[in-house]
Amino acid sequence: MLKTRIIPCLDVDGGRVVKGVNFLDIIDAGDPVAQAKVYNAQGADELCFLDITATHQGRDTILDVVRHVADEVFMPMTVGGGISTIAHIRNLLNAGADKVSINSAAVKNPDFVRDAAEKCGSQCIVVAIDAKAKEDGSAGWEIFTHGGRKGTGIDAVEWAIKMAEYGAGEILLTSMDRDGTKAGFNLPLTRAVADAVSVPVIASGGVGNLQHLVDGVKEGHASAVLAASIFHFGEYTVQEAKEAMREAGIAVRL
Amino acid sequence: MTTHTTLIIDYGSGNLRSAARAFERVIADEGLRAEVVVSNRAEDVAKADRIVLPGQGAFGDCIDNLRATPGMIEALEEAVLERARPFLGICVGMQLLATRGLEHGNHEGLDWIPGQVTALADHIPAGTLKIPHMGWNEVFVPPDAVKDEQNIVLRSVESWGTQGEHFYFVHSFMFECKDKRHILGAVDYGSAFPAIVGRDNIMGVQFHPEKSQSAGLKLIGDFMRWDP
């Protein structure tokens, strides 16, 4: 039986992990390889690196991160953040990434997703969607860019369907109104998107406790759950998260 | 003792770094006298002691690229079919073993293991499961599997029993074996289908051992010690 995945996410800035797992036995908390090894040992099903490097010059540092991590841990790795060209995708895949997540570039030019899927294969193209309640107050959810500041007027469910048709192999859905709140996923949004597309949906944004992960799967119908801070700050291990999910009747790899 | 060569065939089907590193890690950890060579040259196939055929993307693109490499098919047939070098196909590299692939058209495969590669969607009730089949799933021994005591990889599969062992999958097409005896391991996703196929010195895995953490490295180690 296919297992529900738990995916810890690490933010990388200029090649260094920020907000990493703060354990005593990690000498260098900014070292992506050390962080990846922790999550590998905890039984994480995949790793996600989000490159938040602001400067153009710093962009290539993510390639070194991917190379070093891929040399040390043998598990699936998704990389996102500022990806807007086929060359950039190829470089990341050649460095050892398995999937790339495309966000703003897809909103700007949907055909980029189609092109990327045709050239690199749908299996490695994840479309990241940041959504929250529509600005005009009408029903449903809207896509936002620029860290949730800029509304696009695009309906989140329709967008997800379109992206899957364009060749996205997976959708990474972030509940923007929940991100950082620790109040749990936006479950109606998650369920609406997960039920609308045939590709797997990863729920993200707002996880504050292990019940939120359970809810994302049971009520949000997500195929995988992604979380950052609950793992970063050592509140829970991936192992504990999986045990909680198993107790709730969700099939996980333990 | 001479150092053996494990060749990973590079025919432009995507990232081989992870696969090469996983084999190198196993060689280092287990102290094997072997080296990994990544190459697209037919003469390296002739010299190799073990051959690994990875593969990502579409069946048609992969087989076309393989055929476009001068002398490659002939070198592979000579090494694998005539000199019985241990062979491992991974993901689309496994699917290429089939007689034909029906992904975006009808493409001739290597035809080393009779069967065809068809859409997963045709085998599961519409709308019930996500496609691609993406994530960790258990590989188990099919109930009617043929035993091969010489096959160290299979002994590992058998040790997992009916419970199975988790491997990482990502694919939308599956290998339909014509002869059930070629199904060495199965996986359940809507219905049971082949996860490991093989015969004699030939083996193919639908999942990604190079991405399957310790279980994957164990399987790679088994393959490296396999002496069919």
Side-chain angles (χ1 to χ4, degrees), chain A residues 108-144:
Chain A
K108 212 169 158 188
N109 174 20
D111 283 326
F112 175 55
V113 171
R114 198 196 297 269
D115 196 26
E118 271 172 18
K119 292 206 167 81
C120 307
S122 285
Q123 82 287 344
C124 63
I125 304 300
V126 181
V127 168
I129 298 177
D130 294 345
K132 60 180 176 184
K134 287 183 176 167
E135 274 188 329
D136 63 9
S138 61
W141 305 269
E142 172 182 357
I143 308 293
F144 282 72

PDB file of all heavy atoms in Angstrom, chain A residues 108-144:
ATOM      1  N   LYS A 108       3.369  33.546 -14.018  1.00  0.00           N
ATOM      2  CA  LYS A 108       3.793  34.504 -15.030  1.00  0.00           C
ATOM      3  C   LYS A 108       3.624  33.932 -16.440  1.00  0.00           C
ATOM      4  O   LYS A 108       3.178  34.610 -17.351  1.00  0.00           O
ATOM      5  CB  LYS A 108       5.270  34.837 -14.804  1.00  0.00           C
ATOM      6  CG  LYS A 108       5.667  36.241 -15.176  1.00  0.00           C
ATOM      7  CD  LYS A 108       7.075  36.516 -14.654  1.00  0.00           C
ATOM      8  CE  LYS A 108       7.732  37.639 -15.428  1.00  0.00           C
ATOM      9  NZ  LYS A 108       9.142  37.780 -15.055  1.00  0.00           N
ATOM     10  N   ASN A 109       3.977  32.661 -16.587  1.00  0.00           N
ATOM     11  CA  ASN A 109       3.913  32.029 -17.898  1.00  0.00           C
ATOM     12  C   ASN A 109       3.577  30.538 -17.749  1.00  0.00           C
ATOM     13  O   ASN A 109       4.463  29.710 -17.612  1.00  0.00           O
ATOM     14  CB  ASN A 109       5.267  32.192 -18.622  1.00  0.00           C
ATOM     15  CG  ASN A 109       5.296  31.434 -19.928  1.00  0.00           C
ATOM     16  OD1 ASN A 109       4.246  31.100 -20.483  1.00  0.00           O
ATOM     17  ND2 ASN A 109       6.493  31.147 -20.416  1.00  0.00           N
ATOM     18  N   PRO A 110       2.279  30.218 -17.795  1.00  0.00           N
ATOM     19  CA  PRO A 110       1.845  28.823 -17.582  1.00  0.00           C
ATOM     20  C   PRO A 110       2.509  27.838 -18.557  1.00  0.00           C
ATOM     21  O   PRO A 110       2.731  26.680 -18.213  1.00  0.00           O
ATOM     22  CB  PRO A 110       0.337  28.884 -17.804  1.00  0.00           C
ATOM     23  CG  PRO A 110      -0.041  30.310 -17.580  1.00  0.00           C
ATOM     24  CD  PRO A 110       1.147  31.132 -17.985  1.00  0.00           C
ATOM     25  N   ASP A 111       2.839  28.317 -19.761  1.00  0.00           N
ATOM     26  CA  ASP A 111       3.453  27.420 -20.747  1.00  0.00           C
ATOM     27  C   ASP A 111       4.831  26.932 -20.316  1.00  0.00           C
ATOM     28  O   ASP A 111       5.319  25.921 -20.816  1.00  0.00           O
ATOM     29  CB  ASP A 111       3.558  28.107 -22.115  1.00  0.00           C
ATOM     30  CG  ASP A 111       2.213  28.133 -22.824  1.00  0.00           C
ATOM     31  OD1 ASP A 111       1.447  27.165 -22.644  1.00  0.00           O
ATOM     32  OD2 ASP A 111       1.922  29.109 -23.546  1.00  0.00           O
ATOM     33  N   PHE A 112       5.441  27.659 -19.386  1.00  0.00           N
ATOM     34  CA  PHE A 112       6.728  27.211 -18.856  1.00  0.00           C
ATOM     35  C   PHE A 112       6.590  25.831 -18.202  1.00  0.00           C
ATOM     36  O   PHE A 112       7.467  24.982 -18.322  1.00  0.00           O
ATOM     37  CB  PHE A 112       7.259  28.246 -17.846  1.00  0.00           C
ATOM     38  CG  PHE A 112       8.530  27.825 -17.149  1.00  0.00           C
ATOM     39  CD1 PHE A 112       9.658  27.464 -17.875  1.00  0.00           C
ATOM     40  CD2 PHE A 112       8.587  27.775 -15.761  1.00  0.00           C
ATOM     41  CE1 PHE A 112      10.828  27.079 -17.234  1.00  0.00           C
ATOM     42  CE2 PHE A 112       9.751  27.383 -15.120  1.00  0.00           C
ATOM     43  CZ  PHE A 112      10.870  27.038 -15.851  1.00  0.00           C
ATOM     44  N   VAL A 113       5.462  25.603 -17.550  1.00  0.00           N
ATOM     45  CA  VAL A 113       5.224  24.313 -16.891  1.00  0.00           C
ATOM     46  C   VAL A 113       5.098  23.205 -17.940  1.00  0.00           C
ATOM     47  O   VAL A 113       5.666  22.119 -17.807  1.00  0.00           O
ATOM     48  CB  VAL A 113       3.966  24.379 -15.997  1.00  0.00           C
ATOM     49  CG1 VAL A 113       3.579  23.005 -15.478  1.00  0.00           C
ATOM     50  CG2 VAL A 113       4.202  25.344 -14.844  1.00  0.00           C
ATOM     51  N   ARG A 114       4.353  23.519 -19.000  1.00  0.00           N
ATOM     52  CA  ARG A 114       4.178  22.538 -20.078  1.00  0.00           C
ATOM     53  C   ARG A 114       5.532  22.189 -20.709  1.00  0.00           C
ATOM     54  O   ARG A 114       5.853  21.022 -20.923  1.00  0.00           O
ATOM     55  CB  ARG A 114       3.244  23.134 -21.140  1.00  0.00           C
ATOM     56  CG  ARG A 114       2.648  22.100 -22.079  1.00  0.00           C
ATOM     57  CD  ARG A 114       2.067  22.753 -23.318  1.00  0.00           C
ATOM     58  NE  ARG A 114       0.960  23.665 -23.100  1.00  0.00           N
ATOM     59  CZ  ARG A 114      -0.317  23.294 -23.115  1.00  0.00           C
ATOM     60  NH1 ARG A 114      -0.657  22.044 -23.299  1.00  0.00           N
ATOM     61  NH2 ARG A 114      -1.270  24.181 -22.943  1.00  0.00           N
ATOM     62  N   ASP A 115       6.298  23.233 -20.961  1.00  0.00           N
ATOM     63  CA  ASP A 115       7.612  23.074 -21.569  1.00  0.00           C
ATOM     64  C   ASP A 115       8.533  22.243 -20.648  1.00  0.00           C
ATOM     65  O   ASP A 115       9.213  21.304 -21.096  1.00  0.00           O
ATOM     66  CB  ASP A 115       8.209  24.478 -21.779  1.00  0.00           C
ATOM     67  CG  ASP A 115       9.368  24.474 -22.737  1.00  0.00           C
ATOM     68  OD1 ASP A 115       9.408  23.567 -23.592  1.00  0.00           O
ATOM     69  OD2 ASP A 115      10.233  25.363 -22.635  1.00  0.00           O
ATOM     70  N   ALA A 116       8.519  22.577 -19.366  1.00  0.00           N
ATOM     71  CA  ALA A 116       9.369  21.877 -18.402  1.00  0.00           C
ATOM     72  C   ALA A 116       8.976  20.406 -18.295  1.00  0.00           C
ATOM     73  O   ALA A 116       9.834  19.520 -18.255  1.00  0.00           O
ATOM     74  CB  ALA A 116       9.278  22.552 -17.035  1.00  0.00           C
ATOM     75  N   ALA A 117       7.677  20.138 -18.290  1.00  0.00           N
ATOM     76  CA  ALA A 117       7.202  18.750 -18.179  1.00  0.00           C
ATOM     77  C   ALA A 117       7.573  17.956 -19.428  1.00  0.00           C
ATOM     78  O   ALA A 117       7.955  16.787 -19.340  1.00  0.00           O
ATOM     79  CB  ALA A 117       5.692  18.725 -17.953  1.00  0.00           C
ATOM     80  N   GLU A 118       7.472  18.604 -20.593  1.00  0.00           N
ATOM     81  CA  GLU A 118       7.817  17.904 -21.833  1.00  0.00           C
ATOM     82  C   GLU A 118       9.308  17.609 -21.905  1.00  0.00           C
ATOM     83  O   GLU A 118       9.717  16.531 -22.331  1.00  0.00           O
ATOM     84  CB  GLU A 118       7.396  18.736 -23.050  1.00  0.00           C
ATOM     85  CG  GLU A 118       5.972  18.441 -23.474  1.00  0.00           C
ATOM     86  CD  GLU A 118       5.469  19.394 -24.545  1.00  0.00           C
ATOM     87  OE1 GLU A 118       6.312  20.046 -25.197  1.00  0.00           O
ATOM     88  OE2 GLU A 118       4.234  19.479 -24.715  1.00  0.00           O
ATOM     89  N   LYS A 119      10.104  18.558 -21.468  1.00  0.00           N
ATOM     90  CA  LYS A 119      11.557  18.395 -21.598  1.00  0.00           C
ATOM     91  C   LYS A 119      12.159  17.551 -20.485  1.00  0.00           C
ATOM     92  O   LYS A 119      13.126  16.824 -20.706  1.00  0.00           O
ATOM     93  CB  LYS A 119      12.237  19.767 -21.618  1.00  0.00           C
ATOM     94  CG  LYS A 119      11.908  20.560 -22.880  1.00  0.00           C
ATOM     95  CD  LYS A 119      13.011  21.566 -23.210  1.00  0.00           C
ATOM     96  CE  LYS A 119      12.859  22.133 -24.606  1.00  0.00           C
ATOM     97  NZ  LYS A 119      11.864  23.212 -24.672  1.00  0.00           N
ATOM     98  N   CYS A 120      11.617  17.646 -19.296  1.00  0.00           N
ATOM     99  CA  CYS A 120      12.242  16.975 -18.146  1.00  0.00           C
ATOM    100  C   CYS A 120      11.394  15.847 -17.577  1.00  0.00           C
ATOM    101  O   CYS A 120      11.876  15.070 -16.750  1.00  0.00           O
ATOM    102  CB  CYS A 120      12.546  17.995 -17.052  1.00  0.00           C
ATOM    103  SG  CYS A 120      13.515  19.395 -17.639  1.00  0.00           S
ATOM    104  N   GLY A 121      10.140  15.742 -18.007  1.00  0.00           N
ATOM    105  CA  GLY A 121       9.260  14.696 -17.482  1.00  0.00           C
ATOM    106  C   GLY A 121       8.380  15.229 -16.363  1.00  0.00           C
ATOM    107  O   GLY A 121       8.853  15.948 -15.488  1.00  0.00           O
ATOM    108  N   SER A 122       7.096  14.871 -16.402  1.00  0.00           N
ATOM    109  CA  SER A 122       6.145  15.339 -15.387  1.00  0.00           C
ATOM    110  C   SER A 122       6.550  14.934 -13.980  1.00  0.00           C
ATOM    111  O   SER A 122       6.254  15.628 -13.018  1.00  0.00           O
ATOM    112  CB  SER A 122       4.753  14.761 -15.663  1.00  0.00           C
ATOM    113  OG  SER A 122       4.149  15.416 -16.738  1.00  0.00           O
ATOM    114  N   GLN A 123       7.225  13.785 -13.888  1.00  0.00           N
ATOM    115  CA  GLN A 123       7.527  13.247 -12.553  1.00  0.00           C
ATOM    116  C   GLN A 123       8.428  14.176 -11.745  1.00  0.00           C
ATOM    117  O   GLN A 123       8.465  14.085 -10.534  1.00  0.00           O
ATOM    118  CB  GLN A 123       8.144  11.843 -12.653  1.00  0.00           C
ATOM    119  CG  GLN A 123       9.632  11.762 -12.956  1.00  0.00           C
ATOM    120  CD  GLN A 123       9.983  12.102 -14.398  1.00  0.00           C
ATOM    121  OE1 GLN A 123       9.135  12.121 -15.272  1.00  0.00           O
ATOM    122  NE2 GLN A 123      11.257  12.365 -14.644  1.00  0.00           N
ATOM    123  N   CYS A 124       9.128  15.082 -12.426  1.00  0.00           N
ATOM    124  CA  CYS A 124      10.029  15.953 -11.665  1.00  0.00           C
ATOM    125  C   CYS A 124       9.541  17.394 -11.603  1.00  0.00           C
ATOM    126  O   CYS A 124      10.235  18.259 -11.095  1.00  0.00           O
ATOM    127  CB  CYS A 124      11.450  15.872 -12.210  1.00  0.00           C
ATOM    128  SG  CYS A 124      11.634  16.425 -13.885  1.00  0.00           S
ATOM    129  N   ILE A 125       8.329  17.641 -12.094  1.00  0.00           N
ATOM    130  CA  ILE A 125       7.812  19.012 -12.060  1.00  0.00           C
ATOM    131  C   ILE A 125       6.694  19.135 -11.022  1.00  0.00           C
ATOM    132  O   ILE A 125       5.604  18.576 -11.173  1.00  0.00           O
ATOM    133  CB  ILE A 125       7.285  19.438 -13.452  1.00  0.00           C
ATOM    134  CG1 ILE A 125       8.387  19.290 -14.515  1.00  0.00           C
ATOM    135  CG2 ILE A 125       6.753  20.876 -13.386  1.00  0.00           C
ATOM    136  CD1 ILE A 125       9.636  20.111 -14.280  1.00  0.00           C
ATOM    137  N   VAL A 126       6.984  19.877  -9.972  1.00  0.00           N
ATOM    138  CA  VAL A 126       5.997  20.178  -8.936  1.00  0.00           C
ATOM    139  C   VAL A 126       5.578  21.626  -9.133  1.00  0.00           C
ATOM    140  O   VAL A 126       6.435  22.490  -9.323  1.00  0.00           O
ATOM    141  CB  VAL A 126       6.624  20.029  -7.527  1.00  0.00           C
ATOM    142  CG1 VAL A 126       5.594  20.321  -6.444  1.00  0.00           C
ATOM    143  CG2 VAL A 126       7.245  18.646  -7.348  1.00  0.00           C
ATOM    144  N   VAL A 127       4.285  21.875  -9.132  1.00  0.00           N
ATOM    145  CA  VAL A 127       3.849  23.272  -9.157  1.00  0.00           C
ATOM    146  C   VAL A 127       3.418  23.669  -7.750  1.00  0.00           C
ATOM    147  O   VAL A 127       2.585  22.998  -7.138  1.00  0.00           O
ATOM    148  CB  VAL A 127       2.719  23.517 -10.179  1.00  0.00           C
ATOM    149  CG1 VAL A 127       2.095  24.902  -9.981  1.00  0.00           C
ATOM    150  CG2 VAL A 127       3.270  23.416 -11.603  1.00  0.00           C
ATOM    151  N   ALA A 128       4.062  24.718  -7.242  1.00  0.00           N
ATOM    152  CA  ALA A 128       3.740  25.214  -5.904  1.00  0.00           C
ATOM    153  C   ALA A 128       2.675  26.291  -6.026  1.00  0.00           C
ATOM    154  O   ALA A 128       2.783  27.196  -6.855  1.00  0.00           O
ATOM    155  CB  ALA A 128       4.995  25.777  -5.247  1.00  0.00           C
ATOM    156  N   ILE A 129       1.638  26.144  -5.226  1.00  0.00           N
ATOM    157  CA  ILE A 129       0.529  27.101  -5.247  1.00  0.00           C
ATOM    158  C   ILE A 129       0.370  27.698  -3.853  1.00  0.00           C
ATOM    159  O   ILE A 129       0.203  26.977  -2.878  1.00  0.00           O
ATOM    160  CB  ILE A 129      -0.788  26.390  -5.661  1.00  0.00           C
ATOM    161  CG1 ILE A 129      -0.666  25.806  -7.072  1.00  0.00           C
ATOM    162  CG2 ILE A 129      -1.964  27.362  -5.562  1.00  0.00           C
ATOM    163  CD1 ILE A 129      -1.887  25.024  -7.526  1.00  0.00           C
ATOM    164  N   ASP A 130       0.459  29.022  -3.798  1.00  0.00           N
ATOM    165  CA  ASP A 130       0.199  29.734  -2.543  1.00  0.00           C
ATOM    166  C   ASP A 130      -1.198  30.319  -2.654  1.00  0.00           C
ATOM    167  O   ASP A 130      -1.442  31.152  -3.527  1.00  0.00           O
ATOM    168  CB  ASP A 130       1.212  30.870  -2.345  1.00  0.00           C
ATOM    169  CG  ASP A 130       2.636  30.346  -2.139  1.00  0.00           C
ATOM    170  OD1 ASP A 130       2.784  29.139  -1.867  1.00  0.00           O
ATOM    171  OD2 ASP A 130       3.582  31.145  -2.251  1.00  0.00           O
ATOM    172  N   ALA A 131      -2.103  29.884  -1.795  1.00  0.00           N
ATOM    173  CA  ALA A 131      -3.489  30.337  -1.936  1.00  0.00           C
ATOM    174  C   ALA A 131      -4.068  30.760  -0.600  1.00  0.00           C
ATOM    175  O   ALA A 131      -3.661  30.277   0.454  1.00  0.00           O
ATOM    176  CB  ALA A 131      -4.338  29.220  -2.540  1.00  0.00           C
ATOM    177  N   LYS A 132      -4.994  31.688  -0.687  1.00  0.00           N
ATOM    178  CA  LYS A 132      -5.792  32.038   0.496  1.00  0.00           C
ATOM    179  C   LYS A 132      -7.144  32.579   0.047  1.00  0.00           C
ATOM    180  O   LYS A 132      -7.406  32.685  -1.160  1.00  0.00           O
ATOM    181  CB  LYS A 132      -5.057  33.028   1.385  1.00  0.00           C
ATOM    182  CG  LYS A 132      -4.689  34.356   0.765  1.00  0.00           C
ATOM    183  CD  LYS A 132      -3.951  35.218   1.818  1.00  0.00           C
ATOM    184  CE  LYS A 132      -3.477  36.524   1.234  1.00  0.00           C
ATOM    185  NZ  LYS A 132      -2.701  37.322   2.182  1.00  0.00           N
ATOM    186  N   ALA A 133      -7.989  32.905   1.003  1.00  0.00           N
ATOM    187  CA  ALA A 133      -9.342  33.375   0.693  1.00  0.00           C
ATOM    188  C   ALA A 133      -9.283  34.544  -0.288  1.00  0.00           C
ATOM    189  O   ALA A 133      -8.377  35.375  -0.221  1.00  0.00           O
ATOM    190  CB  ALA A 133     -10.045  33.796   1.976  1.00  0.00           C
ATOM    191  N   LYS A 134     -10.255  34.593  -1.181  1.00  0.00           N
ATOM    192  CA  LYS A 134     -10.259  35.642  -2.213  1.00  0.00           C
ATOM    193  C   LYS A 134     -10.346  37.025  -1.590  1.00  0.00           C
ATOM    194  O   LYS A 134     -11.072  37.234  -0.618  1.00  0.00           O
ATOM    195  CB  LYS A 134     -11.416  35.416  -3.184  1.00  0.00           C
ATOM    196  CG  LYS A 134     -11.144  34.224  -4.098  1.00  0.00           C
ATOM    197  CD  LYS A 134     -12.224  34.002  -5.133  1.00  0.00           C
ATOM    198  CE  LYS A 134     -11.804  32.842  -6.045  1.00  0.00           C
ATOM    199  NZ  LYS A 134     -12.899  32.354  -6.884  1.00  0.00           N
ATOM    200  N   GLU A 135      -9.596  37.947  -2.198  1.00  0.00           N
ATOM    201  CA  GLU A 135      -9.526  39.311  -1.655  1.00  0.00           C
ATOM    202  C   GLU A 135     -10.870  40.028  -1.698  1.00  0.00           C
ATOM    203  O   GLU A 135     -11.188  40.835  -0.835  1.00  0.00           O
ATOM    204  CB  GLU A 135      -8.486  40.137  -2.439  1.00  0.00           C
ATOM    205  CG  GLU A 135      -7.089  39.958  -1.895  1.00  0.00           C
ATOM    206  CD  GLU A 135      -6.080  40.908  -2.531  1.00  0.00           C
ATOM    207  OE1 GLU A 135      -6.273  41.258  -3.711  1.00  0.00           O
ATOM    208  OE2 GLU A 135      -5.104  41.272  -1.849  1.00  0.00           O
ATOM    209  N   ASP A 136     -11.670  39.695  -2.732  1.00  0.00           N
ATOM    210  CA  ASP A 136     -12.957  40.402  -2.868  1.00  0.00           C
ATOM    211  C   ASP A 136     -14.048  39.791  -1.986  1.00  0.00           C
ATOM    212  O   ASP A 136     -15.202  40.208  -2.026  1.00  0.00           O
ATOM    213  CB  ASP A 136     -13.392  40.419  -4.347  1.00  0.00           C
ATOM    214  CG  ASP A 136     -13.650  39.025  -4.895  1.00  0.00           C
ATOM    215  OD1 ASP A 136     -13.656  38.052  -4.099  1.00  0.00           O
ATOM    216  OD2 ASP A 136     -13.856  38.889  -6.113  1.00  0.00           O
ATOM    217  N   GLY A 137     -13.655  38.787  -1.199  1.00  0.00           N
ATOM    218  CA  GLY A 137     -14.597  38.222  -0.243  1.00  0.00           C
ATOM    219  C   GLY A 137     -15.524  37.165  -0.819  1.00  0.00           C
ATOM    220  O   GLY A 137     -16.332  36.580  -0.092  1.00  0.00           O
ATOM    221  N   SER A 138     -15.434  36.886  -2.125  1.00  0.00           N
ATOM    222  CA  SER A 138     -16.300  35.852  -2.704  1.00  0.00           C
ATOM    223  C   SER A 138     -15.802  34.468  -2.315  1.00  0.00           C
ATOM    224  O   SER A 138     -14.705  34.320  -1.770  1.00  0.00           O
ATOM    225  CB  SER A 138     -16.348  36.008  -4.227  1.00  0.00           C
ATOM    226  OG  SER A 138     -15.053  35.859  -4.767  1.00  0.00           O
ATOM    227  N   ALA A 139     -16.612  33.449  -2.599  1.00  0.00           N
ATOM    228  CA  ALA A 139     -16.286  32.082  -2.182  1.00  0.00           C
ATOM    229  C   ALA A 139     -15.045  31.574  -2.917  1.00  0.00           C
ATOM    230  O   ALA A 139     -14.746  32.004  -4.029  1.00  0.00           O
ATOM    231  CB  ALA A 139     -17.468  31.168  -2.468  1.00  0.00           C
ATOM    232  N   GLY A 140     -14.338  30.654  -2.272  1.00  0.00           N
ATOM    233  CA  GLY A 140     -13.182  30.040  -2.916  1.00  0.00           C
ATOM    234  C   GLY A 140     -11.881  30.712  -2.509  1.00  0.00           C
ATOM    235  O   GLY A 140     -11.831  31.550  -1.607  1.00  0.00           O
ATOM    236  N   TRP A 141     -10.829  30.331  -3.208  1.00  0.00           N
ATOM    237  CA  TRP A 141      -9.492  30.764  -2.839  1.00  0.00           C
ATOM    238  C   TRP A 141      -8.776  31.279  -4.071  1.00  0.00           C
ATOM    239  O   TRP A 141      -9.079  30.856  -5.186  1.00  0.00           O
ATOM    240  CB  TRP A 141      -8.714  29.603  -2.229  1.00  0.00           C
ATOM    241  CG  TRP A 141      -9.444  28.996  -1.088  1.00  0.00           C
ATOM    242  CD1 TRP A 141      -9.344  29.342   0.223  1.00  0.00           C
ATOM    243  CD2 TRP A 141     -10.413  27.943  -1.153  1.00  0.00           C
ATOM    244  NE1 TRP A 141     -10.214  28.579   0.979  1.00  0.00           N
ATOM    245  CE2 TRP A 141     -10.864  27.719   0.163  1.00  0.00           C
ATOM    246  CE3 TRP A 141     -10.968  27.185  -2.189  1.00  0.00           C
ATOM    247  CZ2 TRP A 141     -11.825  26.753   0.472  1.00  0.00           C
ATOM    248  CZ3 TRP A 141     -11.920  26.222  -1.889  1.00  0.00           C
ATOM    249  CH2 TRP A 141     -12.331  26.012  -0.566  1.00  0.00           C
ATOM    250  N   GLU A 142      -7.806  32.122  -3.820  1.00  0.00           N
ATOM    251  CA  GLU A 142      -7.121  32.819  -4.902  1.00  0.00           C
ATOM    252  C   GLU A 142      -5.608  32.585  -4.782  1.00  0.00           C
ATOM    253  O   GLU A 142      -5.076  32.426  -3.678  1.00  0.00           O
ATOM    254  CB  GLU A 142      -7.465  34.315  -4.739  1.00  0.00           C
ATOM    255  CG  GLU A 142      -6.741  35.267  -5.616  1.00  0.00           C
ATOM    256  CD  GLU A 142      -7.158  36.730  -5.319  1.00  0.00           C
ATOM    257  OE1 GLU A 142      -8.042  36.960  -4.473  1.00  0.00           O
ATOM    258  OE2 GLU A 142      -6.563  37.618  -5.934  1.00  0.00           O
ATOM    259  N   ILE A 143      -4.933  32.562  -5.916  1.00  0.00           N
ATOM    260  CA  ILE A 143      -3.481  32.410  -5.912  1.00  0.00           C
ATOM    261  C   ILE A 143      -2.824  33.738  -5.566  1.00  0.00           C
ATOM    262  O   ILE A 143      -3.196  34.771  -6.112  1.00  0.00           O
ATOM    263  CB  ILE A 143      -2.952  32.025  -7.320  1.00  0.00           C
ATOM    264  CG1 ILE A 143      -3.673  30.829  -7.883  1.00  0.00           C
ATOM    265  CG2 ILE A 143      -1.448  31.804  -7.301  1.00  0.00           C
ATOM    266  CD1 ILE A 143      -3.420  29.581  -7.166  1.00  0.00           C
ATOM    267  N   PHE A 144      -1.838  33.668  -4.716  1.00  0.00           N
ATOM    268  CA  PHE A 144      -1.055  34.851  -4.357  1.00  0.00           C
ATOM    269  C   PHE A 144       0.403  34.609  -4.712  1.00  0.00           C
ATOM    270  O   PHE A 144       0.882  33.481  -4.652  1.00  0.00           O
ATOM    271  CB  PHE A 144      -1.184  35.153  -2.856  1.00  0.00           C
ATOM    272  CG  PHE A 144      -2.479  35.831  -2.507  1.00  0.00           C
ATOM    273  CD1 PHE A 144      -3.675  35.121  -2.547  1.00  0.00           C
ATOM    274  CD2 PHE A 144      -2.502  37.170  -2.159  1.00  0.00           C
ATOM    275  CE1 PHE A 144      -4.878  35.739  -2.251  1.00  0.00           C
ATOM    276  CE2 PHE A 144      -3.704  37.798  -1.859  1.00  0.00           C
ATOM    277  CZ  PHE A 144      -4.891  37.085  -1.900  1.00  0.00           C
TER     278      PHE A 144
END
